[in-house]
Amino acid sequence: MALTTESVADAAMRILSDFGLGDLTMRRLARELNVQPSALYWHVADKQSLFVLLAARMGAEADDLDRPAPGQGRLASTVDAITTYRGVLLRYRESADIVLLAYSHSGPTVLPSALSDLDADTRDFVIPYVLGSIAILQNRRLFAGEPLAPRTTGGGSDGHAEASFRTGLTRLLTG
Amino acid sequence: MALTTESVADAAMRILSDFGLGDLTMRRLARELNVQPSALYWHVADKQSLFVLLAARMGAEADDLDRPAPGQGRLASTVDAITTYRGVLLRYRESADIVLLAYSHSGPTVLPSALSDLDADTRDFVIPYVLGSIAILQNRRLFAGEPLAPRTTGGGSDGHAEASFRTGLTRLLTG
DNA sequence: ACCTGAACACCGTTCAAGT
DNA sequence: ACCTGAACACCGTTCAAGT
């Protein structure tokens, strides 16, 4: 049952999706793993670099989910892939705050390829839009306070919010 | 020298612009004001509602600065006003994180009129873009770590970052 | 009405020491 | 190599009690 960087990140992902960012503390994480808080620092430099790990995982998760529909233009499949990413982030409570930090710190490597493959100029206004939209949505949910929420974990669409997201995204991508 | 909600907010703005969000704690704030931490809670409900106060101040500050240039179209003057707001936020280290929280919590009232006057549908993709862009820029600066930084406090333009910001903004506003 | 003092229940991180 | 134990320097918030 030895600790690894992976097992630490796994536990962190679970805490994040089940309880949120407020409960994702190094001490809580250690408790969950039945070790002393100080043990974590052997496997991870500090909390910030744990965030980078988590962000990269969510990016990879979106890449895995994303098999582009055939007979689709470049624009449409990019919009779809980014929307898939949005769906992934929405499953991890305040993930957008984490990704925002991690991206500011480590650059596009923490993002899914749908975003990191864009040319640098496009990235500079698409990424803020994507992360900003999700962050606001997630913080709104946080304040709405769902103590035992009807978490729509099902793959269903998001309704108006998702449609609006796609509209803005399309405007930014069609310069 | 009695404490007021305003004097608390004033001190908080000073700490934010001089030292950043990491130093903006209730205890530090109390120390600066020569009172016990508990004294603050008579004037402000909690830290979150202090953030709402700060966000509203920055919105108002942008409104004050903004005298629209004559002979300009609606689009151009909106872009200018929002760019002015961006300039205000950039003077308060990690302000975008605060405004993001405050906006998620309290809605468009904490924003400058250039943003709150937009119709609801436009707001839904412009505001995430604006706050996301500034948040990323500010966090990048934070990690770049300027212990005794050459803070470009002068009113000079921001170069590429500002130009890119305006481009994206224009795309979003011209549906 | 406005503030102090003391407490409660926490944080992230470091580091000698153990195995 | 990997982890414990103890410490350091903090947090936000509450609440009885003082003036």
mmCIF file of all heavy atoms in Angstrom, chain C:
data_model
loop_
_atom_site.group_PDB
_atom_site.id
_atom_site.type_symbol
_atom_site.label_atom_id
_atom_site.label_comp_id
_atom_site.label_asym_id
_atom_site.label_seq_id
_atom_site.Cartn_x
_atom_site.Cartn_y
_atom_site.Cartn_z
ATOM 1 P P DA C 1 -27.636 49.438 18.876
ATOM 2 O OP1 DA C 1 -28.793 50.206 18.531
ATOM 3 O OP2 DA C 1 -27.492 48.008 18.656
ATOM 4 O "O5'" DA C 1 -26.288 50.140 18.431
ATOM 5 C "C5'" DA C 1 -26.186 51.522 18.226
ATOM 6 C "C4'" DA C 1 -24.732 51.883 18.298
ATOM 7 O "O4'" DA C 1 -24.210 51.503 19.595
ATOM 8 C "C3'" DA C 1 -23.867 51.180 17.275
ATOM 9 O "O3'" DA C 1 -22.879 52.121 16.854
ATOM 10 C "C2'" DA C 1 -23.234 50.028 18.060
ATOM 11 C "C1'" DA C 1 -23.109 50.615 19.449
ATOM 12 N N9 DA C 1 -23.254 49.618 20.526
ATOM 13 C C8 DA C 1 -24.168 48.618 20.614
ATOM 14 N N7 DA C 1 -24.054 47.896 21.716
ATOM 15 C C5 DA C 1 -22.992 48.464 22.387
ATOM 16 C C6 DA C 1 -22.368 48.156 23.614
ATOM 17 N N6 DA C 1 -22.764 47.146 24.408
ATOM 18 N N1 DA C 1 -21.335 48.927 24.000
ATOM 19 C C2 DA C 1 -20.958 49.926 23.196
ATOM 20 N N3 DA C 1 -21.466 50.317 22.022
ATOM 21 C C4 DA C 1 -22.492 49.532 21.670
ATOM 22 P P DC C 2 -21.858 51.788 15.702
ATOM 23 O OP1 DC C 2 -21.332 53.032 15.131
ATOM 24 O OP2 DC C 2 -22.526 50.795 14.844
ATOM 25 O "O5'" DC C 2 -20.666 51.083 16.489
ATOM 26 C "C5'" DC C 2 -19.706 51.924 17.155
ATOM 27 C "C4'" DC C 2 -18.749 51.051 17.914
ATOM 28 O "O4'" DC C 2 -19.477 50.156 18.765
ATOM 29 C "C3'" DC C 2 -17.867 50.145 17.051
ATOM 30 O "O3'" DC C 2 -16.544 50.611 17.216
ATOM 31 C "C2'" DC C 2 -18.102 48.738 17.585
ATOM 32 C "C1'" DC C 2 -18.663 49.040 18.980
ATOM 33 N N1 DC C 2 -19.500 47.993 19.610
ATOM 34 C C2 DC C 2 -19.177 47.527 20.885
ATOM 35 O O2 DC C 2 -18.199 48.002 21.463
ATOM 36 N N3 DC C 2 -19.937 46.559 21.459
ATOM 37 C C4 DC C 2 -20.993 46.071 20.809
ATOM 38 N N4 DC C 2 -21.710 45.122 21.408
ATOM 39 C C5 DC C 2 -21.352 46.545 19.511
ATOM 40 C C6 DC C 2 -20.588 47.501 18.944
ATOM 41 P P DC C 3 -15.337 50.043 16.358
ATOM 42 O OP1 DC C 3 -14.351 51.122 16.117
ATOM 43 O OP2 DC C 3 -15.905 49.275 15.225
ATOM 44 O "O5'" DC C 3 -14.686 49.013 17.389
ATOM 45 C "C5'" DC C 3 -14.045 49.542 18.561
ATOM 46 C "C4'" DC C 3 -13.790 48.434 19.550
ATOM 47 O "O4'" DC C 3 -15.039 47.771 19.843
ATOM 48 C "C3'" DC C 3 -12.868 47.327 19.071
ATOM 49 O "O3'" DC C 3 -11.570 47.560 19.635
ATOM 50 C "C2'" DC C 3 -13.509 46.031 19.594
ATOM 51 C "C1'" DC C 3 -14.714 46.517 20.396
ATOM 52 N N1 DC C 3 -15.908 45.628 20.278
ATOM 53 C C2 DC C 3 -16.234 44.801 21.355
ATOM 54 O O2 DC C 3 -15.529 44.818 22.359
ATOM 55 N N3 DC C 3 -17.320 43.995 21.253
ATOM 56 C C4 DC C 3 -18.064 44.006 20.138
ATOM 57 N N4 DC C 3 -19.136 43.201 20.083
ATOM 58 C C5 DC C 3 -17.756 44.854 19.033
ATOM 59 C C6 DC C 3 -16.673 45.635 19.136
ATOM 60 P P DT C 4 -10.420 46.421 19.548
ATOM 61 O OP1 DT C 4 -9.111 47.096 19.659
ATOM 62 O OP2 DT C 4 -10.722 45.552 18.415
ATOM 63 O "O5'" DT C 4 -10.670 45.598 20.884
ATOM 64 C "C5'" DT C 4 -10.591 46.244 22.142
ATOM 65 C "C4'" DT C 4 -10.561 45.224 23.278
ATOM 66 O "O4'" DT C 4 -11.796 44.477 23.293
ATOM 67 C "C3'" DT C 4 -9.438 44.189 23.182
ATOM 68 O "O3'" DT C 4 -8.941 43.949 24.499
ATOM 69 C "C2'" DT C 4 -10.154 42.968 22.586
ATOM 70 C "C1'" DT C 4 -11.538 43.087 23.198
ATOM 71 N N1 DT C 4 -12.658 42.494 22.420
ATOM 72 C C2 DT C 4 -13.515 41.598 23.017
ATOM 73 O O2 DT C 4 -13.394 41.235 24.170
ATOM 74 N N3 DT C 4 -14.537 41.144 22.218
ATOM 75 C C4 DT C 4 -14.784 41.492 20.903
ATOM 76 O O4 DT C 4 -15.743 41.013 20.288
ATOM 77 C C5 DT C 4 -13.853 42.417 20.328
ATOM 78 C C7 DT C 4 -14.028 42.858 18.907
ATOM 79 C C6 DT C 4 -12.839 42.879 21.103
ATOM 80 P P DG C 5 -7.513 43.274 24.724
ATOM 81 O OP1 DG C 5 -6.885 43.845 25.935
ATOM 82 O OP2 DG C 5 -6.812 43.275 23.430
ATOM 83 O "O5'" DG C 5 -7.972 41.778 25.061
ATOM 84 C "C5'" DG C 5 -9.265 41.558 25.662
ATOM 85 C "C4'" DG C 5 -9.367 40.153 26.167
ATOM 86 O "O4'" DG C 5 -10.451 39.465 25.488
ATOM 87 C "C3'" DG C 5 -8.137 39.282 25.928
ATOM 88 O "O3'" DG C 5 -8.054 38.350 27.005
ATOM 89 C "C2'" DG C 5 -8.424 38.643 24.577
ATOM 90 C "C1'" DG C 5 -9.941 38.474 24.589
ATOM 91 N N9 DG C 5 -10.601 38.667 23.300
ATOM 92 C C8 DG C 5 -10.145 39.415 22.241
ATOM 93 N N7 DG C 5 -10.949 39.409 21.214
ATOM 94 C C5 DG C 5 -12.018 38.618 21.618
ATOM 95 C C6 DG C 5 -13.202 38.249 20.930
ATOM 96 O O6 DG C 5 -13.554 38.571 19.788
ATOM 97 N N1 DG C 5 -14.026 37.432 21.705
ATOM 98 C C2 DG C 5 -13.740 37.019 22.988
ATOM 99 N N2 DG C 5 -14.639 36.240 23.565
ATOM 100 N N3 DG C 5 -12.627 37.358 23.642
ATOM 101 C C4 DG C 5 -11.817 38.154 22.900
ATOM 102 P P DA C 6 -6.882 37.263 27.093
ATOM 103 O OP1 DA C 6 -6.486 37.157 28.517
ATOM 104 O OP2 DA C 6 -5.853 37.562 26.063
ATOM 105 O "O5'" DA C 6 -7.662 35.930 26.670
ATOM 106 C "C5'" DA C 6 -8.986 35.726 27.173
ATOM 107 C "C4'" DA C 6 -9.652 34.541 26.481
ATOM 108 O "O4'" DA C 6 -10.300 34.977 25.250
ATOM 109 C "C3'" DA C 6 -8.677 33.421 26.086
ATOM 110 O "O3'" DA C 6 -9.234 32.189 26.507
ATOM 111 C "C2'" DA C 6 -8.613 33.539 24.568
ATOM 112 C "C1'" DA C 6 -10.032 34.017 24.242
ATOM 113 N N9 DA C 6 -10.162 34.662 22.932
ATOM 114 C C8 DA C 6 -9.273 35.512 22.338
ATOM 115 N N7 DA C 6 -9.647 35.930 21.149
ATOM 116 C C5 DA C 6 -10.864 35.308 20.944
ATOM 117 C C6 DA C 6 -11.769 35.328 19.874
ATOM 118 N N6 DA C 6 -11.578 36.053 18.761
ATOM 119 N N1 DA C 6 -12.899 34.586 19.988
ATOM 120 C C2 DA C 6 -13.090 33.862 21.100
ATOM 121 N N3 DA C 6 -12.302 33.758 22.170
ATOM 122 C C4 DA C 6 -11.196 34.512 22.030
ATOM 123 P P DA C 7 -8.371 30.822 26.552
ATOM 124 O OP1 DA C 7 -8.529 30.266 27.898
ATOM 125 O OP2 DA C 7 -7.031 31.054 25.965
ATOM 126 O "O5'" DA C 7 -9.197 29.905 25.525
ATOM 127 C "C5'" DA C 7 -10.607 29.850 25.682
ATOM 128 C "C4'" DA C 7 -11.254 29.600 24.333
ATOM 129 O "O4'" DA C 7 -10.932 30.669 23.415
ATOM 130 C "C3'" DA C 7 -10.789 28.331 23.618
ATOM 131 O "O3'" DA C 7 -11.790 27.335 23.788
ATOM 132 C "C2'" DA C 7 -10.640 28.752 22.151
ATOM 133 C "C1'" DA C 7 -11.158 30.175 22.114
ATOM 134 N N9 DA C 7 -10.484 31.054 21.156
ATOM 135 C C8 DA C 7 -9.233 31.597 21.247
ATOM 136 N N7 DA C 7 -8.897 32.362 20.228
ATOM 137 C C5 DA C 7 -10.001 32.313 19.408
ATOM 138 C C6 DA C 7 -10.295 32.905 18.165
ATOM 139 N N6 DA C 7 -9.441 33.711 17.514
ATOM 140 N N1 DA C 7 -11.507 32.646 17.611
ATOM 141 C C2 DA C 7 -12.355 31.851 18.270
ATOM 142 N N3 DA C 7 -12.204 31.236 19.443
ATOM 143 C C4 DA C 7 -10.996 31.513 19.963
ATOM 144 P P DC C 8 -11.488 25.825 23.315
ATOM 145 O OP1 DC C 8 -12.344 24.914 24.108
ATOM 146 O OP2 DC C 8 -10.024 25.657 23.290
ATOM 147 O "O5'" DC C 8 -12.010 25.804 21.807
ATOM 148 C "C5'" DC C 8 -13.388 26.120 21.551
ATOM 149 C "C4'" DC C 8 -13.670 25.903 20.074
ATOM 150 O "O4'" DC C 8 -13.149 27.023 19.321
ATOM 151 C "C3'" DC C 8 -13.000 24.652 19.509
ATOM 152 O "O3'" DC C 8 -13.929 23.909 18.744
ATOM 153 C "C2'" DC C 8 -11.859 25.186 18.653
ATOM 154 C "C1'" DC C 8 -12.396 26.558 18.231
ATOM 155 N N1 DC C 8 -11.315 27.552 17.949
ATOM 156 C C2 DC C 8 -11.404 28.336 16.790
ATOM 157 O O2 DC C 8 -12.369 28.191 16.022
ATOM 158 N N3 DC C 8 -10.428 29.252 16.533
ATOM 159 C C4 DC C 8 -9.408 29.386 17.386
ATOM 160 N N4 DC C 8 -8.471 30.300 17.088
ATOM 161 C C5 DC C 8 -9.309 28.600 18.564
ATOM 162 C C6 DC C 8 -10.273 27.703 18.807
ATOM 163 P P DA C 9 -13.643 22.311 18.530
ATOM 164 O OP1 DA C 9 -14.908 21.584 18.791
ATOM 165 O OP2 DA C 9 -12.399 21.929 19.246
ATOM 166 O "O5'" DA C 9 -13.354 22.255 16.972
ATOM 167 C "C5'" DA C 9 -14.142 23.039 16.082
ATOM 168 C "C4'" DA C 9 -13.335 23.361 14.835
ATOM 169 O "O4'" DA C 9 -12.438 24.459 15.090
ATOM 170 C "C3'" DA C 9 -12.443 22.193 14.369
ATOM 171 O "O3'" DA C 9 -12.569 22.040 12.962
ATOM 172 C "C2'" DA C 9 -11.055 22.653 14.756
ATOM 173 C "C1'" DA C 9 -11.229 24.150 14.456
ATOM 174 N N9 DA C 9 -10.124 24.984 14.929
ATOM 175 C C8 DA C 9 -9.338 24.827 16.043
ATOM 176 N N7 DA C 9 -8.392 25.725 16.165
ATOM 177 C C5 DA C 9 -8.551 26.530 15.053
ATOM 178 C C6 DA C 9 -7.861 27.654 14.587
ATOM 179 N N6 DA C 9 -6.812 28.189 15.226
ATOM 180 N N1 DA C 9 -8.291 28.218 13.425
ATOM 181 C C2 DA C 9 -9.328 27.673 12.786
ATOM 182 N N3 DA C 9 -10.067 26.608 13.119
ATOM 183 C C4 DA C 9 -9.619 26.086 14.284
ATOM 184 P P DC C 10 -11.995 20.738 12.200
ATOM 185 O OP1 DC C 10 -12.224 20.893 10.737
ATOM 186 O OP2 DC C 10 -12.540 19.565 12.931
ATOM 187 O "O5'" DC C 10 -10.422 20.829 12.524
ATOM 188 C "C5'" DC C 10 -9.468 20.877 11.449
ATOM 189 C "C4'" DC C 10 -9.451 22.258 10.783
ATOM 190 O "O4'" DC C 10 -9.135 23.244 11.761
ATOM 191 C "C3'" DC C 10 -8.366 22.376 9.734
ATOM 192 O "O3'" DC C 10 -8.855 21.888 8.504
ATOM 193 C "C2'" DC C 10 -8.109 23.879 9.712
ATOM 194 C "C1'" DC C 10 -8.468 24.332 11.129
ATOM 195 N N1 DC C 10 -7.304 24.725 11.977
ATOM 196 C C2 DC C 10 -6.493 25.809 11.621
ATOM 197 O O2 DC C 10 -6.746 26.441 10.590
ATOM 198 N N3 DC C 10 -5.441 26.150 12.407
ATOM 199 C C4 DC C 10 -5.197 25.441 13.520
ATOM 200 N N4 DC C 10 -4.150 25.827 14.283
ATOM 201 C C5 DC C 10 -6.002 24.326 13.903
ATOM 202 C C6 DC C 10 -7.032 24.009 13.114
ATOM 203 P P DC C 11 -7.930 21.065 7.502
ATOM 204 O OP1 DC C 11 -8.723 20.233 6.586
ATOM 205 O OP2 DC C 11 -6.826 20.437 8.265
ATOM 206 O "O5'" DC C 11 -7.386 22.283 6.672
ATOM 207 C "C5'" DC C 11 -6.061 22.632 6.856
ATOM 208 C "C4'" DC C 11 -5.766 23.935 6.187
ATOM 209 O "O4'" DC C 11 -5.695 24.942 7.206
ATOM 210 C "C3'" DC C 11 -4.410 23.871 5.537
ATOM 211 O "O3'" DC C 11 -4.589 23.837 4.149
ATOM 212 C "C2'" DC C 11 -3.689 25.100 6.017
ATOM 213 C "C1'" DC C 11 -4.367 25.448 7.324
ATOM 214 N N1 DC C 11 -3.747 24.925 8.578
ATOM 215 C C2 DC C 11 -2.495 25.400 8.971
ATOM 216 O O2 DC C 11 -1.915 26.226 8.251
ATOM 217 N N3 DC C 11 -1.949 24.935 10.122
ATOM 218 C C4 DC C 11 -2.618 24.044 10.874
ATOM 219 N N4 DC C 11 -2.046 23.634 12.015
ATOM 220 C C5 DC C 11 -3.899 23.534 10.484
ATOM 221 C C6 DC C 11 -4.417 23.987 9.332
ATOM 222 P P DG C 12 -3.815 22.711 3.298
ATOM 223 O OP1 DG C 12 -4.483 22.648 1.991
ATOM 224 O OP2 DG C 12 -3.649 21.491 4.118
ATOM 225 O "O5'" DG C 12 -2.375 23.376 3.124
ATOM 226 C "C5'" DG C 12 -2.276 24.621 2.469
ATOM 227 C "C4'" DG C 12 -0.856 25.104 2.529
ATOM 228 O "O4'" DG C 12 -0.509 25.285 3.915
ATOM 229 C "C3'" DG C 12 0.151 24.123 1.952
ATOM 230 O "O3'" DG C 12 1.126 24.829 1.205
ATOM 231 C "C2'" DG C 12 0.737 23.435 3.197
ATOM 232 C "C1'" DG C 12 0.648 24.538 4.246
ATOM 233 N N9 DG C 12 0.470 24.015 5.606
ATOM 234 C C8 DG C 12 -0.487 23.146 6.046
ATOM 235 N N7 DG C 12 -0.399 22.845 7.322
ATOM 236 C C5 DG C 12 0.701 23.580 7.756
ATOM 237 C C6 DG C 12 1.287 23.653 9.053
ATOM 238 O O6 DG C 12 0.950 23.078 10.091
ATOM 239 N N1 DG C 12 2.384 24.508 9.067
ATOM 240 C C2 DG C 12 2.850 25.206 7.962
ATOM 241 N N2 DG C 12 3.915 25.979 8.170
ATOM 242 N N3 DG C 12 2.307 25.144 6.747
ATOM 243 C C4 DG C 12 1.243 24.300 6.713
ATOM 244 P P DT C 13 2.262 24.094 0.381
ATOM 245 O OP1 DT C 13 2.780 24.998 -0.647
ATOM 246 O OP2 DT C 13 1.780 22.749 0.008
ATOM 247 O "O5'" DT C 13 3.398 23.952 1.502
ATOM 248 C "C5'" DT C 13 3.840 25.142 2.154
ATOM 249 C "C4'" DT C 13 4.911 24.799 3.167
ATOM 250 O "O4'" DT C 13 4.300 24.254 4.352
ATOM 251 C "C3'" DT C 13 5.937 23.747 2.693
ATOM 252 O "O3'" DT C 13 7.201 24.384 2.655
ATOM 253 C "C2'" DT C 13 5.861 22.645 3.748
ATOM 254 C "C1'" DT C 13 5.218 23.373 4.940
ATOM 255 N N1 DT C 13 4.460 22.511 5.883
ATOM 256 C C2 DT C 13 4.808 22.488 7.210
ATOM 257 O O2 DT C 13 5.724 23.138 7.661
ATOM 258 N N3 DT C 13 4.045 21.658 7.998
ATOM 259 C C4 DT C 13 2.993 20.868 7.596
ATOM 260 O O4 DT C 13 2.391 20.157 8.391
ATOM 261 C C5 DT C 13 2.673 20.928 6.189
ATOM 262 C C7 DT C 13 1.544 20.109 5.627
ATOM 263 C C6 DT C 13 3.411 21.736 5.405
ATOM 264 P P DT C 14 8.530 23.624 2.275
ATOM 265 O OP1 DT C 14 9.434 24.582 1.628
ATOM 266 O OP2 DT C 14 8.194 22.348 1.631
ATOM 267 O "O5'" DT C 14 9.112 23.318 3.735
ATOM 268 C "C5'" DT C 14 9.284 24.401 4.636
ATOM 269 C "C4'" DT C 14 10.017 23.931 5.886
ATOM 270 O "O4'" DT C 14 9.113 23.164 6.713
ATOM 271 C "C3'" DT C 14 11.224 23.021 5.604
ATOM 272 O "O3'" DT C 14 12.282 23.432 6.463
ATOM 273 C "C2'" DT C 14 10.705 21.622 5.961
ATOM 274 C "C1'" DT C 14 9.723 21.952 7.082
ATOM 275 N N1 DT C 14 8.622 20.974 7.289
ATOM 276 C C2 DT C 14 8.262 20.639 8.573
ATOM 277 O O2 DT C 14 8.807 21.081 9.558
ATOM 278 N N3 DT C 14 7.211 19.742 8.666
ATOM 279 C C4 DT C 14 6.521 19.169 7.626
ATOM 280 O O4 DT C 14 5.600 18.384 7.824
ATOM 281 C C5 DT C 14 6.951 19.570 6.298
ATOM 282 C C7 DT C 14 6.258 19.000 5.102
ATOM 283 C C6 DT C 14 7.973 20.441 6.199
ATOM 284 P P DC C 15 13.822 23.058 6.171
ATOM 285 O OP1 DC C 15 14.571 24.319 6.228
ATOM 286 O OP2 DC C 15 13.905 22.189 4.966
ATOM 287 O "O5'" DC C 15 14.216 22.163 7.428
ATOM 288 C "C5'" DC C 15 13.444 22.241 8.648
ATOM 289 C "C4'" DC C 15 13.691 21.016 9.489
ATOM 290 O "O4'" DC C 15 12.482 20.214 9.551
ATOM 291 C "C3'" DC C 15 14.782 20.071 8.954
ATOM 292 O "O3'" DC C 15 15.484 19.518 10.047
ATOM 293 C "C2'" DC C 15 13.986 19.018 8.215
ATOM 294 C "C1'" DC C 15 12.787 18.886 9.165
ATOM 295 N N1 DC C 15 11.598 18.265 8.552
ATOM 296 C C2 DC C 15 10.604 17.698 9.376
ATOM 297 O O2 DC C 15 10.742 17.742 10.595
ATOM 298 N N3 DC C 15 9.530 17.110 8.793
ATOM 299 C C4 DC C 15 9.431 17.078 7.457
ATOM 300 N N4 DC C 15 8.354 16.496 6.945
ATOM 301 C C5 DC C 15 10.421 17.654 6.612
ATOM 302 C C6 DC C 15 11.479 18.240 7.193
ATOM 303 P P DA C 16 17.112 19.396 9.992
ATOM 304 O OP1 DA C 16 17.631 20.707 10.400
ATOM 305 O OP2 DA C 16 17.480 18.786 8.705
ATOM 306 O "O5'" DA C 16 17.427 18.347 11.162
ATOM 307 C "C5'" DA C 16 17.195 18.693 12.528
ATOM 308 C "C4'" DA C 16 16.429 17.584 13.229
ATOM 309 O "O4'" DA C 16 15.267 17.282 12.431
ATOM 310 C "C3'" DA C 16 17.210 16.281 13.389
ATOM 311 O "O3'" DA C 16 17.271 15.927 14.757
ATOM 312 C "C2'" DA C 16 16.445 15.269 12.529
ATOM 313 C "C1'" DA C 16 15.059 15.879 12.426
ATOM 314 N N9 DA C 16 14.386 15.565 11.168
ATOM 315 C C8 DA C 16 14.745 15.933 9.891
ATOM 316 N N7 DA C 16 13.928 15.510 8.957
ATOM 317 C C5 DA C 16 12.944 14.803 9.653
ATOM 318 C C6 DA C 16 11.793 14.113 9.246
ATOM 319 N N6 DA C 16 11.414 14.019 7.963
ATOM 320 N N1 DA C 16 11.043 13.527 10.201
ATOM 321 C C2 DA C 16 11.420 13.633 11.480
ATOM 322 N N3 DA C 16 12.480 14.255 11.993
ATOM 323 C C4 DA C 16 13.212 14.831 11.020
ATOM 324 P P DA C 17 18.280 14.782 15.242
ATOM 325 O OP1 DA C 17 18.645 15.066 16.661
ATOM 326 O OP2 DA C 17 19.314 14.596 14.205
ATOM 327 O "O5'" DA C 17 17.332 13.501 15.204
ATOM 328 C "C5'" DA C 17 16.038 13.543 15.798
ATOM 329 C "C4'" DA C 17 15.236 12.352 15.337
ATOM 330 O "O4'" DA C 17 14.733 12.581 14.008
ATOM 331 C "C3'" DA C 17 16.041 11.061 15.237
ATOM 332 O "O3'" DA C 17 15.800 10.273 16.414
ATOM 333 C "C2'" DA C 17 15.584 10.391 13.939
ATOM 334 C "C1'" DA C 17 14.495 11.323 13.400
ATOM 335 N N9 DA C 17 14.525 11.512 11.950
ATOM 336 C C8 DA C 17 15.486 12.154 11.213
ATOM 337 N N7 DA C 17 15.252 12.182 9.921
ATOM 338 C C5 DA C 17 14.049 11.497 9.794
ATOM 339 C C6 DA C 17 13.249 11.178 8.665
ATOM 340 N N6 DA C 17 13.560 11.514 7.409
ATOM 341 N N1 DA C 17 12.112 10.491 8.891
ATOM 342 C C2 DA C 17 11.794 10.149 10.154
ATOM 343 N N3 DA C 17 12.460 10.397 11.284
ATOM 344 C C4 DA C 17 13.589 11.078 11.031
ATOM 345 P P DG C 18 15.871 8.710 16.459
ATOM 346 O OP1 DG C 18 15.982 8.287 17.870
ATOM 347 O OP2 DG C 18 16.821 8.199 15.442
ATOM 348 O "O5'" DG C 18 14.383 8.404 15.972
ATOM 349 C "C5'" DG C 18 13.817 7.158 16.203
ATOM 350 C "C4'" DG C 18 13.035 6.702 14.987
ATOM 351 O "O4'" DG C 18 13.366 7.499 13.820
ATOM 352 C "C3'" DG C 18 13.318 5.259 14.579
ATOM 353 O "O3'" DG C 18 12.224 4.440 14.958
ATOM 354 C "C2'" DG C 18 13.514 5.284 13.051
ATOM 355 C "C1'" DG C 18 13.111 6.700 12.668
ATOM 356 N N9 DG C 18 13.829 7.265 11.541
ATOM 357 C C8 DG C 18 14.986 8.028 11.572
ATOM 358 N N7 DG C 18 15.377 8.422 10.382
ATOM 359 C C5 DG C 18 14.428 7.886 9.516
ATOM 360 C C6 DG C 18 14.335 7.980 8.100
ATOM 361 O O6 DG C 18 15.093 8.565 7.314
ATOM 362 N N1 DG C 18 13.215 7.303 7.608
ATOM 363 C C2 DG C 18 12.311 6.629 8.404
ATOM 364 N N2 DG C 18 11.298 6.038 7.743
ATOM 365 N N3 DG C 18 12.381 6.538 9.720
ATOM 366 C C4 DG C 18 13.467 7.184 10.212
ATOM 367 P P DT C 19 12.422 2.884 15.063
ATOM 368 O OP1 DT C 19 11.238 2.330 15.768
ATOM 369 O OP2 DT C 19 13.774 2.655 15.592
ATOM 370 O "O5'" DT C 19 12.397 2.406 13.535
ATOM 371 C "C5'" DT C 19 11.207 1.881 12.950
ATOM 372 C "C4'" DT C 19 11.463 1.523 11.489
ATOM 373 O "O4'" DT C 19 12.072 2.645 10.829
ATOM 374 C "C3'" DT C 19 12.477 0.395 11.323
ATOM 375 O "O3'" DT C 19 11.788 -0.857 11.171
ATOM 376 C "C2'" DT C 19 13.258 0.769 10.054
ATOM 377 C "C1'" DT C 19 12.766 2.157 9.702
ATOM 378 N N1 DT C 19 13.857 3.125 9.347
ATOM 379 C C2 DT C 19 13.955 3.573 8.055
ATOM 380 O O2 DT C 19 13.209 3.215 7.175
ATOM 381 N N3 DT C 19 14.982 4.468 7.824
ATOM 382 C C4 DT C 19 15.894 4.932 8.746
ATOM 383 O O4 DT C 19 16.774 5.728 8.422
ATOM 384 C C5 DT C 19 15.730 4.416 10.085
ATOM 385 C C7 DT C 19 16.664 4.858 11.161
ATOM 386 C C6 DT C 19 14.728 3.543 10.316
#
